């Protein structure tokens, strides 16, 4: 009984739609036959916390993301890429950017790499101040 009640409580907190709505297809450019530049806009579920009511915990919201990825076209290096993700942060005048270095495992959609987060503050009190978070490893893709 407790397991069913816990599962019901967890499902009530989950987003109503588990997959984000359709977004525009990615755009690609060939840079002189040496690199491929890919730009993508999409929506993703992100945990957000209301700073005025932190006791309520995290709530999940659809957040727009902008991604830019640079991949070499050389056959020995085409599994490596540098990416830049940008998302709106929690408050006005705050920017969030995530640079990544990643490796795509051949024959799969799995990516392994290192990323960090850079917070930038653009307010009258803090002109151009920023903070770089500690880099961390990640694994992403379809499993």
């Amino acid at each position: 009984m407790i397991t069913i009640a816990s599962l019901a409580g967890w499902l009530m907190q989950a987003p109503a739609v588990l997959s984000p709505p359709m977004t525009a297809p990615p755009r690609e450019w060939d840079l002189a036959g040496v690199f491929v530049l890919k730009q993508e806009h999409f929506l993703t579920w992100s945990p957000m916390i209301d700073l005025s009511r932190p006791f309520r915990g995290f709530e999940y919201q659809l957040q727009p993301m902008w991604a830019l990825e640079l991949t070499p076209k050389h056959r020995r290096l085409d599994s490596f890429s540098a990416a830049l993700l940008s998302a709106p942060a929690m408050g006005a005048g705050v920017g969030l950017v995530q640079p990544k270095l990643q490796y795509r495992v051949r024959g799969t959609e799995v990516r392994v790499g290192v990323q960090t987060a850079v917070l930038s503050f653009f307010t009258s009190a803090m002109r151009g101040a920023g903070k770089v978070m500690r880099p961390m490893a990640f694994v992403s893709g379809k499993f």
Side-chain angles (χ1 to χ4, degrees):
M1 187 67 183
I2 294 174
T3 305
I4 294 171
S6 299
L7 181 63
W10 180 77
L11 288 175
M12 289 174 55
Q13 294 177 10
V17 178
L18 294 179
S19 63
M22 293 297 293
T23 56
R27 297 172 57 186
E28 290 189 8
W29 295 275
D30 186 4
L31 303 177
V34 179
F35 291 102
V36 173
L37 183 65
K38 183 169 87 171
Q39 176 188 359
E40 196 172 357
H41 293 279
F42 58 92
L43 295 171
T44 186
W45 288 107
S46 299
M48 299 296 287
I49 191 164
D50 186 1
L51 296 177
S52 63
R53 295 177 286 176
F55 54 86
R56 292 186 64 195
F58 286 104
E59 295 178 356
Y60 285 88
Q61 298 176 356
L62 271 177
Q63 294 293 320
M65 295 286 286
W66 176 78
L68 195 64
E69 184 176 359
L70 186 66
T71 307
K73 287 189 83 172
H74 192 278
R75 62 183 172 85
R76 290 188 180 169
L77 300 175
D78 64 353
S79 294
F80 294 95
S81 65
L84 188 70
L85 295 173
S86 178
M90 288 184 253
V94 180
L96 176 65
V97 176
Q98 295 174 324
K100 294 181 175 185
L101 293 173
Q102 53 193 4
Y103 172 76
R104 183 177 40 87
V105 179
R106 293 201 186 271
T108 66
E109 291 291 323
V110 177
R111 293 176 184 251
V112 180
V114 177
Q115 74 178 16
T116 188
V118 179
L119 285 171
S120 299
F121 303 98
F122 302 100
T123 62
S124 58
M126 304 175 86
R127 295 184 186 206
K131 182 175 183 180
V132 177
M133 305 295 185
R134 181 177 295 142
M136 66 177 89
F138 69 91
V139 177
S140 67
K142 297 178 183 177
F143 298 100

